[in-house]
Amino acid sequence: MSVARPVHSLLGRCIASTRSRAGSPTATSVVQCQQFHSSAPRSKRRSRFRNVKAEEMGLLNPSVLSKYRQEKFPDYTKEELELLKQKYTPEQLEALRAGEEAINTDDVIIQGRLRDDPYRPNYIEDFTVLDPRYDVKPKVDVTPKQPEWLSHNEWVDQYGSKMSQMTDTKTSHQLTRAMVRALRRVKESSGTELIDLTEDELKDLENDPELLKKYLIEEDGKQEPDANASGPDLLTRAQAMKLDEAVDAEWKKELDKLSSMTDESEVEPSNLELLADGPAGVNRAYSAEAAELGKVPGVEGLYKSAADPEDEGQDDGGHYQEIKRLTGMTLKDIQSIYRKVLVTRWVSNQTRLGKVRSTSVVAIAGNGNGRLGLGIAKSTEAGLAAETAQLLAIRNMKPIRRYENRTIFGNVKAKVSGTVVELFSRPPGFGLRVPHRLFEMCRAAGIHDIHGRMPRSKNPMNSVKATYEALTSQADPEEIAIGRGKKMVDVRKVYYGGAVY
């Protein structure tokens, strides 16, 4: 484009404007105005979204606004307040009231109307439940104590007492459910007025036998009624004898059914209950995720069903079913474990068809509280190798000895091939002053104060293996003291003056 072209266009525009102002009827533009660029002019863009006005939504009509406020944001009823008092403490209830008073319902209605279509997301969040994928575990202040290394006899005694306690609890719960079923049949037959428990209360007792304590505990200072007393809330002697006979008859039937049962799984503890760490919480009843749309009519049962309904649709492919079977943990427990890929190598295998390239991965897994695992896997696909290595690391997790739940016992050293790893315990607040791969391993195991170095070769795979061997092969101070004929003494006050934390 010539430089004179835009200047000429501007001059022509000015000449045309001056000549048109002169009022001459025959005045025309001598020079046609042209654009600076040669591209075609673009039309004005239109928004993809429809402009919804407040009048169309009915937000300016007071009657519609008040009706919507009463429908969507009603006040708490007495029953709802009683349920809230059972779930929250008085301080939490006061905080809830203050939060609701601070929010104006008119602002909520005007700024964002609630969706009423069937595909609306469910944004109701229960802040009393922690999701390990999104929420951070709360920091708990604990008193440092030495780990207990039980002998074989002590461990057997503790395990036996735990199993007997679980069996007794399950047996009592089974008897309670049998009594509830007997009371329900008596009430349905002839005890509608004699038994004051409602059907909902009987159903709650059968689902949770621990609620029986609420009905058995007597209030302080309450006197038992006289045997000869009478009143609208008391039973006569004839009614009481009739009720006892009916309950005894149904109770004997239930005991006969229980004695003829051959399934011992209802009395014996399950595998999950026997785990030391056990499941890590209740199921997520409310979350920020959208609710499922459900089964489509006409195609239900034609596709593969979920591997485990308890996973709530998080593992329909069944990737974690084998690791759940081997470890006994739930899917939520497995997702809460810290996992990290530390080493990735690419190796090739020369065949008659050419070079077959594979990926070798070394991964670690830890719960951040004294357990650490190491996994090594190889595959032609990098993603499959990383996933397999992480699952193997979860399966191979072992306990790591920690002094005061923050550092190791003394100094340890391990050697793998030409790589030597030396780890040293340090006082509180020292931090993790180790190489980056050792840093990830210490953080996964829950070690916070340690110093480490590698004076010789720094091969990535050998350094990870040597660190894992050093952490798992720490000497037991009690065994050393017993071998030397000494006694274990707490020397923290001597070195740190009692200020451990």
Side-chain angles (χ1 to χ4, degrees):
M1 180 182 291
S2 167
V3 178
R5 182 176 178 182
V7 178
H8 187 260
S9 301
L10 290 175
L11 291 176
R13 182 180 302 173
C14 295
I15 293 172
S17 62
T18 53
R19 289 188 178 185
S20 60
R21 283 196 214 100
S24 175
T26 59
T28 57
S29 299
V30 179
V31 181
Q32 184 179 2
C33 298
Q34 299 180 0
Q35 300 290 337
F36 280 94
H37 51 79
S38 59
S39 60
R42 185 176 58 182
S43 60
K44 186 178 180 180
R45 286 185 176 179
R46 297 182 61 183
S47 177
R48 296 182 300 170
F49 307 100
R50 184 173 62 91
N51 186 14
V52 182
K53 298 182 179 180
E55 297 177 354
E56 299 177 0
M57 299 177 65
L59 298 179
L60 302 182
N61 191 349
S63 61
V64 176
L65 196 65
S66 62
K67 180 181 178 182
Y68 191 84
R69 188 188 305 111
Q70 295 176 1
E71 180 183 354
K72 297 296 183 180
F73 304 100
D75 296 334
Y76 284 118
T77 60
K78 294 182 179 180
E79 293 78 7
E80 292 176 347
L81 291 176
E82 292 297 331
L83 293 176
L84 289 176
K85 289 180 181 179
Q86 297 176 5
K87 187 175 183 180
Y88 299 102
T89 60
E91 293 79 7
Q92 293 174 345
L93 282 177
E94 185 178 356
L96 289 174
R97 293 194 189 96
E100 292 184 355
E101 291 176 358
I103 299 175
N104 189 2
T105 55
D106 294 343
D107 296 339
V108 178
I109 295 173
I110 293 175
Q111 296 179 9
R113 294 290 293 269
L114 298 179
R115 291 177 57 178
D116 53 359
D117 56 291
Y119 303 102
R120 63 184 183 275
N122 183 14
Y123 290 122
I124 300 177
E125 178 71 20
D126 188 0
F127 294 101
T128 60
V129 179
L130 293 180
D131 193 328
R133 296 174 297 174
Y134 314 124
D135 301 328
V136 180
K137 293 183 178 179
K139 185 180 293 185
V140 181
D141 297 333
V142 297
T143 304
K145 62 180 181 179
Q146 296 291 341
E148 296 181 1
W149 307 100
L150 302 177
S151 62
H152 180 71
N153 296 332
E154 293 175 349
W155 182 86
V156 169
D157 296 339
Q158 185 176 358
Y159 184 78
S161 62
K162 181 180 179 181
M163 282 197 62
S164 62
Q165 184 178 1
M166 287 185 178
T167 305
D168 295 341
T169 303
K170 284 205 166 187
T171 304
S172 64
H173 288 177
Q174 194 176 19
L175 295 176
T176 303
R177 293 191 182 96
M179 176 58 71
V180 171
R181 291 194 293 267
L183 291 176
R184 181 183 288 111
R185 285 203 297 270
V186 171
K187 183 176 181 179
E188 292 175 355
S189 60
S190 60
T192 306
E193 300 177 354
L194 303 180
I195 299 177
D196 58 350
L197 293 176
T198 62
E199 183 63 27
D200 295 337
E201 292 176 346
L202 292 174
K203 188 181 297 184
D204 295 339
L205 277 174
E206 189 173 0
N207 295 333
D208 188 8
E210 294 292 338
L211 296 177
L212 184 62
K213 300 177 181 178
K214 182 176 67 174
Y215 301 97
L216 295 180
I217 296 177
E218 297 181 357
E219 298 181 359
D220 297 337
K222 185 177 179 180
Q223 298 180 357
E224 297 184 357
D226 189 7
N228 299 323
S230 61
D233 298 335
L234 300 178
L235 298 178
T236 62
R237 183 179 297 273
Q239 291 177 340
M241 293 179 63
K242 179 182 177 182
L243 180 61
D244 291 341
E245 292 177 359
V247 171
D248 290 342
E250 297 295 336
W251 173 244
K252 290 179 181 179
K253 294 180 182 179
E254 290 293 335
L255 289 180
D256 294 338
K257 291 181 181 180
L258 293 178
S259 61
S260 60
M261 290 178 58
T262 58
D263 189 9
E264 299 179 355
S265 60
E266 296 186 2
V267 180
E268 294 181 353
S270 61
N271 294 332
L272 293 179
E273 292 176 345
L274 296 179
L275 290 177
D277 297 331
V282 297
N283 294 330
R284 237 176 346 112
Y286 304 98
S287 67
E289 299 177 350
E292 296 183 0
L293 297 180
K295 299 293 183 181
V296 180
V299 297
E300 184 176 357
L302 300 180
Y303 297 92
K304 184 179 179 181
S305 59
D308 190 356
E310 296 182 357
D311 295 340
E312 300 177 358
Q314 301 295 329
D315 186 27
D316 292 340
H319 301 290
Y320 295 97
Q321 299 305 313
E322 184 65 17
I323 193 68
K324 285 171 56 180
R325 185 185 66 83
L326 294 173
T327 59
M329 295 187 295
T330 61
L331 181 61
K332 187 178 291 187
D333 297 338
I334 295 174
Q335 291 176 345
S336 63
I337 293 176
Y338 176 78
R339 293 172 282 180
K340 184 79 173 180
V341 175
L342 296 185
V343 183
T344 304
R345 299 187 309 165
W346 291 272
V347 295
S348 299
N349 182 24
Q350 183 67 42
T351 63
R352 63 178 183 176
L353 302 177
K355 290 184 178 180
V356 179
R357 194 176 186 183
S358 302
T359 305
S360 179
V361 175
V362 179
I364 60 167
N367 63 348
N369 192 23
R371 295 186 70 86
L372 181 67
L374 182 66
I376 303 175
K378 186 186 296 183
S379 176
T380 55
E381 298 182 5
L384 181 59
E387 182 181 358
T388 306
Q390 292 176 6
L391 294 180
L392 288 175
I394 296 175
R395 178 182 175 182
N396 300 332
M397 283 198 305
K398 295 181 180 179
I400 303 298
R401 287 174 178 165
R402 297 181 301 164
Y403 177 67
E404 296 178 352
N405 294 333
R406 58 173 187 82
T407 186
I408 60 177
F409 283 91
N411 304 332
V412 292
K413 180 179 179 182
K415 180 178 180 296
V416 174
S417 186
T419 302
V420 177
V421 174
E422 299 176 356
L423 302 177
F424 309 94
S425 61
R426 285 295 180 263
F430 186 82
L432 298 176
R433 304 186 188 182
V434 291
H436 64 284
R437 292 185 180 89
L438 279 66
F439 178 90
E440 298 292 344
M441 297 181 69
C442 294
R443 184 170 65 171
I447 298 175
H448 312 294
D449 303 310
I450 195 174
H451 170 60
R453 63 180 182 178
M454 292 186 292
R456 294 180 57 182
S457 173
K458 296 175 178 59
N459 182 273
M461 182 170 289
N462 292 338
S463 63
V464 173
K465 291 182 179 179
T467 305
Y468 185 71
E469 182 180 348
L471 292 175
T472 55
S473 62
Q474 299 181 50
D476 189 1
E478 294 186 359
E479 294 181 358
I480 297 176
I482 293 174
R484 296 178 180 178
K486 305 294 182 180
K487 293 183 179 180
M488 289 292 295
V489 180
D490 190 359
V491 296
R492 289 178 293 179
K493 296 183 179 180
V494 177
Y495 285 101
Y496 310 133
V500 181
Y501 289 103

